[in-house]
Amino acid sequence: MRGAAMPAFDDGQAETELPRGTVETDVLIVGSGPAGGAAALCLSTLGIANIMITKYRWTANTPRAHITNQRTMEIFRDLGIEDQVLADASPHDIIGDTVFCTSIAGEEIGRIRTWGTSPDREADYQLASPSLTCDIPQTYLEPILVKNAAARGTQARFSTEYLSHAQDADGVSVQARDRLTGAVLTIRAKYLIGADGARSMVAADLGLPMEGQMDIAGSMNITFTADISRYVSHRPSVLYWVIQPGSNVGGIGAGLVRMVRPWNEWLIVWGYDISQPAPVVDEAAATQIVRSLLGMPDLDVEITGTSLWGNNELYATHLQCGRVFCAGDAVHRHPPSNGLGSNTSVQDSYNLAWKLAAVLRGQAGPALLDTYSAERAPVARQIVLRANKSSREFVQLFDALGVTGAETEAEMVAAIEERKASTPAGAAKRAAIAVAMELKHYEFNAHGVEFGQFYESSAVVGDGSARPAPARDPELYYQPSTIPGSRLPHAWVGSSTDKVSTLDLAPADRFTLITGIAGEAWAAAAQKVAADLGVPLRAVVIGPGREVTDLYFDWSRLREVGEDGALLVRPDKHIGWRSMSLPADPQAALHAALSALLDRA
């Protein structure tokens, strides 16, 4: 984290008489997963007192989420934990190919370069961000978030179960149970964040409006250890899709073998008919499934866990009520396709935390908090629909292989084998498979979905510019822009001794005004506006002879404003306002824009 943390806000009001034994804090967070851990870390980094509770006695005990995309890695960079994450992650260069096969040791059907590792996409990812996608299982990520949050001030309490809440004009009173003693305690907070997962009690108690449904399909997880490096290290990947007719669980016989740690710790995800009784997966059954999908009948396997879970297609259309907010899986529930779950959860909290800090410090009016739903609910909808669409798009590959119409194992095997035939039918099948594989780029290389989040709310002061029409497919390709509501574009800038991203110029503890040499008058204006509004705001002038130089001349091509124009960057790196050129009274223009953004008009 760059910049000093600010002191906690004291509203100067007399304390309300509270029940004896009540614990007080500014923000209470329910849940310690990616959303809850990130919320605690963001708030503590900003100097906001917070308590994080979870009913569990430890952090995630199964790998769960793993793909950590560039936008999330940028947030970790801003919070000063990127190096810790990378130290525990599988690096970008080995997460590349996603393989489709009949078993790990069996025949390949095809493979697709994923997560921006293809030569024709690598440049898109390198140009977009100072950080690259990596793979870190949730079992490794959550402890990093919680550890750093606690080190910076979060009071983290495990084995503490949320029971209920009641809010009033001044705060929220939460009832929680100590699961060790059974004692019920009251926690009084100014604000409550429900980050308690896909079965969120906080969201249920709020009655948040939801669209879609839960448990549309069933899946089982099997975690195991086995050294299979000689089968996979030559084609490094985190995902191996196995299409295996005759498997005794799940219709067509398609499952996922996922690398947890290279190359001896693994997770299998296997579907089952959720309308039927749940399958019983004991150690013998799990071992048989592992050996079958791997195609290694005599493999020495250690089963480390099994679990059943439901695939969902549900999102909240509004994420808050009064002083209570929900984030993460509590408000967007979907299958793991596209790897969007934990990423969006972290990004929810990053959006919310700076707004809570500004209101708690008296730097912003309460309407700023309403922009959380306005900005993040559309994202929740988009990712739920995209992830489920990606999951359904596998049907095209099954159709191309000819297995969906087959009724027996022998028919399925024959259909898959037909792709090898030197016949018109074989040629048609090969062409259809190629088309179906191309479609999977929308799951594994959806750079625009991962990066192209555009905010429209009262925390964005528009300049009359329409959002630009996409030059390429907006799901596959990210298109940088400085139109208010866009994420600040990345470019490498710096000096003769240092190189930083433009994102590094705008840390999470302040607003940042970026301009050029011809706009140096903005610097004095920013200083006066900051003092007048009591808001942390720093101007950065980019140009030769200044502290920051446009090293590669990339910034001048990306900024879309004149050298005397300015970009007002919010603490979450989204552009809140811009001026195309220097007005007659830059102080008045900036004051008006920042006041409107912060509900200070």
Side-chain angles (χ1 to χ4, degrees):
M1 181 66 200
R2 296 165 177 83
M6 302 175 199
F9 171 66
D10 180 359
D11 62 10
Q13 297 177 358
E15 294 185 3
T16 303
E17 187 73 25
L18 295 172
R20 187 173 181 179
T22 297
V23 178
E24 293 183 79
T25 190
D26 281 340
V27 182
L28 174 64
I29 303 155
V30 180
S32 61
L41 178 56
C42 289
L43 290 168
S44 287
T45 301
L46 294 172
I48 299 300
N50 66 93
I51 296 172
M52 180 180 66
I53 65 172
T54 175
K55 66 181 180 181
Y56 301 107
R57 61 185 177 88
W58 56 354
T59 51
N61 63 346
T62 57
R64 304 180 199 176
H66 62 120
I67 294 296
T68 304
N69 66 33
Q70 289 179 285
R71 181 59 183 138
T72 302
M73 291 302 294
E74 289 176 355
I75 293 171
F76 294 158
R77 179 186 182 93
D78 191 29
L79 297 173
I81 64 167
E82 183 181 35
D83 290 346
Q84 295 176 47
V85 172
L86 290 174
D88 276 348
S90 297
H92 180 72
D93 61 350
I94 72 163
I95 68 174
D97 292 4
T98 290
V99 178
F100 296 80
C101 55
T102 57
S103 71
I104 297 295
E107 286 191 341
E108 276 194 24
I109 294 168
R111 63 174 79 181
I112 178 174
R113 294 185 179 95
T114 52
W115 318 116
T117 57
S118 172
D120 69 332
R121 295 303 309 272
E122 187 81 42
D124 291 335
Y125 285 68
Q126 294 274 5
L127 289 170
S129 175
S131 305
L132 288 176
T133 303
C134 69
D135 183 291
I136 180 167
Q138 200 165 327
T139 42
Y140 288 81
L141 178 59
E142 282 188 18
I144 294 173
L145 296 174
V146 172
K147 175 185 71 174
N148 284 277
R152 298 179 193 185
T154 295
Q155 294 287 344
R157 182 167 176 142
F158 291 84
S159 298
T160 304
E161 182 178 9
Y162 165 89
L163 299 177
S164 64
H165 76 268
Q167 60 175 310
D168 52 49
D170 300 315
V172 187
S173 294
V174 173
Q175 299 294 303
R177 177 185 292 116
D178 185 321
R179 300 184 82 179
L180 295 178
T181 67
V184 174
L185 65 151
T186 300
I187 304 174
R188 177 70 176 176
K190 295 185 175 75
Y191 296 98
L192 169 64
I193 299 175
D196 49 337
R199 308 284 175 181
S200 171
M201 288 183 63
V202 178
D205 287 349
L206 281 181
L208 292 180
M210 300 279 185
E211 290 192 6
Q213 64 184 92
M214 296 278 282
D215 297 324
I216 60 176
S219 292
M220 73 171 71
N221 282 0
I222 302 171
T223 53
F224 67 96
T225 58
D227 184 0
I228 60 171
S229 55
R230 76 185 188 93
Y231 295 96
V232 296
S233 61
H234 65 286
R235 52 177 181 187
S237 171
V238 297
L239 297 174
Y240 297 82
W241 285 93
V242 179
I243 300 171
Q244 191 173 91
S247 297
N248 64 351
V249 181
I252 288 171
L256 170 67
V257 181
R258 182 189 127 195
M259 183 272 287
V260 178
R261 307 301 281 176
W263 301 106
N264 61 359
E265 190 175 342
W266 300 88
L267 165 69
I268 279 177
V269 182
W270 197 249
Y272 69 91
D273 187 346
I274 202 167
S275 67
Q276 300 299 314
V280 176
V281 188
D282 56 19
E283 184 169 349
T287 300
Q288 184 273 325
I289 292 171
V290 169
R291 288 173 173 169
S292 178
L293 288 190
L294 270 56
M296 306 171 197
D298 300 317
L299 182 69
D300 185 16
V301 175
E302 179 186 357
I303 303 298
T304 56
T306 63
S307 60
L308 302 178
W309 51 281
N311 288 280
N312 306 312
E313 189 170 14
L314 190 77
Y315 57 90
T317 57
H318 196 70
L319 314 184
Q320 63 196 93
C321 180
R323 291 176 171 267
V324 184
F325 307 82
C326 285
D329 288 356
V331 287
H332 38 80
R333 307 167 191 176
H334 53 87
S337 308
N338 287 78
L340 297 169
S342 64
N343 290 290
T344 307
S345 300
V346 170
Q347 293 158 25
D348 287 345
S349 295
Y350 190 63
N351 178 284
L352 178 59
W354 74 267
K355 297 173 181 177
L356 285 170
V359 172
L360 283 164
R361 293 197 180 102
Q363 296 163 353
L368 177 64
L369 298 178
D370 296 335
T371 68
Y372 171 63
S373 278
E375 294 180 352
R376 296 303 298 176
V379 176
R381 179 181 186 275
Q382 179 192 28
I383 66 158
V384 169
L385 297 182
R386 178 65 259 175
N388 277 278
K389 186 176 181 181
S390 291
S391 182
R392 294 182 180 113
E393 284 170 349
F394 274 103
V395 173
Q396 185 161 332
L397 177 59
F398 300 150
D399 287 343
L401 288 168
V403 297
T404 49
E407 296 182 358
T408 66
E409 176 185 349
E411 289 178 0
M412 290 185 187
V413 171
I416 294 174
E417 284 293 302
E418 189 180 35
R419 76 191 194 284
K420 304 174 184 177
S422 180
T423 63
K429 179 159 288 189
R430 291 190 290 274
I433 291 171
V435 172
M437 291 290 284
E438 188 72 17
L439 186 64
K440 296 313 294 174
H441 284 289
Y442 285 91
E443 177 173 0
F444 299 120
N445 292 300
H447 203 211
V449 174
E450 296 170 2
F451 243 146
Q453 296 172 7
F454 182 83
Y455 293 158
E456 295 179 274
S457 76
S458 61
V460 174
V461 181
D463 64 353
S465 301
R467 189 177 182 183
R472 299 184 289 179
D473 189 308
E475 288 195 305
L476 293 179
Y477 299 96
Y478 161 68
Q479 183 168 312
S481 175
T482 65
I483 289 177
S486 305
R487 164 190 160 275
L488 175 67
H490 156 69
W492 290 113
V493 296
S495 67
S496 58
T497 59
D498 193 24
K499 185 171 77 170
V500 298
S501 169
T502 45
L503 299 169
D504 298 329
L505 303 177
D509 61 352
R510 68 186 63 145
F511 285 85
T512 304
L513 192 71
I514 300 177
T515 188
I517 291 177
E520 284 184 311
W522 286 110
Q527 190 172 19
K528 293 175 181 176
V529 170
D532 184 42
L533 293 178
V535 173
L537 168 64
R538 177 175 176 261
V540 177
V541 178
I542 298 179
R546 306 310 187 266
E547 184 178 348
V548 180
T549 300
D550 189 4
L551 295 174
Y552 301 97
F553 306 97
D554 291 332
W555 177 242
S556 62
R557 291 189 289 269
L558 289 169
R559 68 190 183 206
E560 297 179 334
V561 299
E563 190 187 66
D564 62 341
L567 301 174
L568 179 63
V569 185
R570 307 187 328 185
D572 61 354
K573 310 293 182 293
H574 278 254
I575 295 166
W577 171 77
R578 71 177 180 179
S579 179
M580 301 302 289
S581 59
L582 185 69
D585 190 344
Q587 181 180 338
L590 179 59
H591 190 286
L594 190 54
S595 296
L597 189 157
L598 292 172
D599 185 33
R600 294 275 297 274

